[in-house]
Amino acid sequence: MSTEPASSPKSPRRITTKSLREQKQRGEKITALTAYDFSMAELLDKAGIDVILVGDSAGMVVQGADTTVGVTLEEMLYHSKIVARAVTRALVVADMPFMSFQVNADEALRNAGRMIKETGVGAVKLEGGLVQCPTIQRLVEVGIPVMGHLGLTPQSIHQFGSYQVRATSTEEADMVRRDALELERAGVFAIVLEKVPAKLGEEISASVEVPVIGIGAGSGCDGQILVSHDMLGLYTRFHPRFVRRYAEVGREMQNAFEHYIRDVKSGEFPAPEESY
Ligand code: KIV
């Protein structure tokens, strides 16, 4: 029996960590967006996105918190399970939330293992550079694919003090360059690179064989990721320069809600054909 997933127009070939690397080798850009629920994930998958990240940005765009720091493992397990249920093609990656992997490698392994076993996602993402390499190595050794995350790492917001662009100094740029090489050596299959100068994004993408997926890291990266709620105009508290608004879904929804309220108040809804 073949272990290769079947491919047909109805069930297109599944994106894997290996196929993402091949995309990089072919020079084909990788597309990635976030999802936190079944409906959004289904739409993204049908649109042909390569990677769906169940981001801990859920803490901000779904839960309304100021940072991602408070998101729990149980919440990420819940979001990841309902996203993975909707997806047939994209690679689904789940964020490991703050303090679910930092205590020690054993705890990280237990928590990442739960993520893979209980939700159906294909990989996990964790923030951090050199210091996380022993943990990443441990996860990869037992068969858990890991995506790294460098540059602006939002779980460290209390250390950084702001969401400003990172690695503008030579020292910090050198550290990010070194971290990318170390993450690759530790076995990550891809690296998210957030909010760093475009030139550094391009250099790092050229320096590693694994795909580098940028967010605010310029066009020289191997792929791009955005938070779906940002690019759809659903979450409007911040508008970082790197976000392009592809729709104004929030405004559309507001209009629909107001229309519905007017119709109910005026007796326009429901009509006879909408009644039994
Ligand atoms: O949590 C998230 O959505 C992320 C993206 C910003 C890459 O980590």
Side-chain angles (χ1 to χ4, degrees):
M1 193 184 81
S2 167
T3 53
E4 280 293 301
S7 175
S8 76
K10 268 196 157 166
S11 63
R13 189 171 288 279
R14 189 118 208 179
I15 302 291
T16 63
T17 57
K18 182 165 170 275
S19 71
L20 290 177
R21 198 175 178 121
E22 289 163 357
Q23 259 180 262
K24 171 166 178 153
Q25 285 161 355
R26 287 197 300 275
E28 182 188 335
K29 295 280 188 187
I30 292 164
T31 58
L33 285 166
T34 63
Y36 318 96
D37 65 43
F38 181 89
S39 309
M40 185 82 87
E42 191 170 52
L43 290 169
L44 284 169
D45 201 39
K46 278 192 193 150
I49 202 83
D50 296 317
V51 176
I52 297 178
L53 173 68
V54 190
D56 62 357
S57 47
M60 298 172 80
V61 304
V62 178
Q63 300 173 1
D66 289 337
T67 73
T68 60
V69 171
V71 177
T72 67
L73 179 65
E74 295 306 321
E75 288 164 351
M76 289 308 298
L77 288 167
Y78 168 76
H79 287 295
S80 302
K81 190 185 281 186
I82 61 179
V83 165
R85 195 177 283 160
V87 176
T88 59
R89 175 184 176 273
L91 176 68
V92 182
V93 182
D95 242 340
M96 295 301 292
F98 185 55
M99 293 316 291
S100 68
F101 62 91
Q102 287 93 341
V103 174
N104 58 50
D106 283 346
E107 197 169 308
L109 185 54
R110 248 190 310 273
N111 289 336
R114 281 193 68 191
M115 191 61 86
I116 295 288
K117 283 185 67 143
E118 295 177 27
T119 71
V121 302
V124 299
K125 171 166 86 60
L126 48 95
E127 294 183 8
L130 185 58
V131 72
Q132 295 306 335
C133 285
T135 295
I136 291 169
Q137 229 165 343
R138 189 86 188 284
L139 266 51
V140 173
E141 266 165 22
V142 302
I144 299 177
V146 178
M147 176 182 266
H149 186 155
L150 296 175
L152 175 65
T153 46
Q155 292 176 9
S156 306
I157 180 62
H158 296 312
Q159 191 178 26
F160 293 152
S162 82
Y163 289 111
Q164 272 166 14
V165 61
R166 306 301 311 174
T168 52
S169 70
T170 309
E171 298 75 39
E172 196 181 341
D174 284 346
M175 203 171 74
V176 179
R177 279 192 198 91
R178 177 209 64 189
D179 281 351
L181 294 171
E182 292 296 338
L183 287 186
E184 177 167 62
R185 205 164 295 141
V188 299
F189 71 88
I191 298 170
V192 165
L193 185 59
E194 181 162 355
K195 215 167 179 183
V196 299
K199 189 165 167 290
L200 182 63
E202 190 174 351
E203 274 172 31
I204 291 179
S205 304
S207 74
V208 292
E209 290 189 12
V210 296
V212 174
I213 303 180
I215 172 164
S219 61
C221 295
D222 304 306
Q224 299 293 327
I225 183 164
L226 286 175
V227 169
S228 291
H229 285 53
D230 290 342
M231 60 86 83
L232 290 173
L234 259 178
Y235 182 78
T236 53
R237 268 197 204 169
F238 306 114
H239 190 167
R241 170 170 158 175
F242 62 74
V243 171
R244 185 182 294 182
R245 285 265 181 86
Y246 281 85
E248 293 295 345
V249 173
R251 199 178 300 156
E252 272 291 295
M253 286 172 74
Q254 185 84 36
N255 287 341
F257 297 150
E258 288 170 6
H259 195 167
Y260 169 78
I261 291 166
R262 277 198 308 277
D263 282 358
V264 171
K265 296 250 187 225
S266 68
E268 183 76 16
F269 177 82
E273 64 272 21
E274 290 157 329
S275 307
Y276 298 95

